[in-house]
Amino acid sequence: MKRQYFGTDGVRAPYGSATMNEDFAWRLGAAAARFAKGKMRTSSKDVFIGRDTRASGPSLESALAAGIASEGFQPISLGIVPTPVVSLLTRSSAAAFGVVITASHNPASDNGIKFFGSNGIKLTDSDESQIEHLLPVSPSVLSDEDRLAQKTDALATYLELTGALLPPDSLQNWKIVLDTANGAACVSSRTVLENLGAELTLIANQPDGQNINADVGSQHPEKMSAAVKTVGARLGIAHDGDADRCILCDENGDVLDGDEILTLLALRALKQKQLEKNTLVITVQSNLGVDAAVQAAGGRVSRTDVGDRYVIERMLAEGATLGGESSGHVICSDISPTGDGLVAALKVIEVMLETGKPLSELRRGLRKFPQLTAALKVKDKKPLESLPTLPAVIKKIESELGNLGRVLVRYSGTEPKLRLLVEGPTDERVQSAMDQLTAATKADLEVV
């Protein structure tokens, strides 16, 4: 069933728009609760709600909670917490379901709502379609703050779990740069790393409701990289607004994306014979070099559509425990049922501790194919197959590249953008292909 409101990661839109306001949040909360009634895997009526640091979060939370309460559930606010905290607590407490109010890496002017089932795993496309069909026409009550209970110790379990991933005091004499994007991880990641003994240089750890992701975080690692070189840190860690992503940089300030993190972890696990099913799950967006590196080490790669929840679905289907996206979503499902930026960083540090090697050396396991990406903002998302120029150009480039490269053209599931990706044998051929794709896109669509 085609979804009208949900994208690749929940509902996301500018705050104040038709699909991200208090009325719609109430309706969505009521619809999710109605859906949960028909899918109850637990007798609990508790629903955990977390949010990031956006100014629009509290009012959306109040309205969402009122909609949930209208169907007989008990909404419980976890306050400002990373997305993986909601996932973990929902699963460990066997709550009815969990909700996070966040627009992830988007600017503060946007917000979003995404759901987790009682197992702590994001809902499927089919689940979201059913929720959309259960939306009431209008809210019967806009707000009902008295029905929203508070859970003040939401971070405690998460801090204990993540802090135990490394030996006590194992980061003594480690300098680390930490960029929390003025988002949900400002307290959690700092606390865990400092408790392990790290000396931190903090970036973007003063949220004011408007500065989340503002030229910082996983989308903008430049400040992190510069700080690593300035203070002589062993690595830098950057999250996005809700901290389910992780981008790193090595001691030289060179950035590692999700593909490099996943390859590093997969190669280490294969060497230790600890990679479940010898399988790493990634998306079609990941570099072809990941496949080559993992296969050379005796493993296999399984690819899915873009979206960390599709990665998780494939991991469950194949019995894999490691997967993720080039954007920095890294899922270690033996620890957390969803992407977790802090867990990803700690797992990489664990490899550094075990091997005694710097990150600049460990990253060499992945030799990337030449690749270019672009994200063109478009006025309308017209069906690609209906466009007069772009499909033919794609087919031409694919024919020229053969098995030496690939082309990926898709609309973003969360933004009004057309995403282009080209991989090939040389930088020159990749650039030529990207120029052709860009020109064809501008001929067919209104790029703004």
Side-chain angles (χ1 to χ4, degrees), residues 384 390 394 407-411 418-422 437 441:
L384 294 179
L390 187 57
I394 294 172
V407 177
L408 178 63
V409 179
R410 67 177 184 88
Y411 287 116
L418 182 70
R419 300 195 184 279
L420 310 175
L421 179 150
V422 182
L437 289 172
T441 298

Side-chain angles (χ1 to χ4, degrees), residues 39-89:
K39 295 281 186 177
M40 291 294 286
R41 298 187 180 95
T42 172
S43 60
S44 174
K45 290 288 188 177
D46 291 343
V47 177
F48 289 137
I49 307 175
R51 58 184 173 87
D52 65 23
T53 57
R54 294 164 210 270
S56 57
S59 62
L60 288 173
E61 179 182 48
S62 178
L64 178 78
I68 292 169
S70 72
E71 295 292 328
F73 289 83
Q74 174 59 66
I76 300 173
S77 175
L78 306 181
I80 295 173
V81 293
T83 284
V85 172
V86 179
S87 171
L88 279 166
L89 285 181

Side-chain angles (χ1 to χ4, degrees), residues 61 81 142 261 265 271 338 448:
E61 179 182 48
V81 293
L142 181 59
I261 294 170
L265 295 178
K271 185 175 182 179
T338 194
V448 296

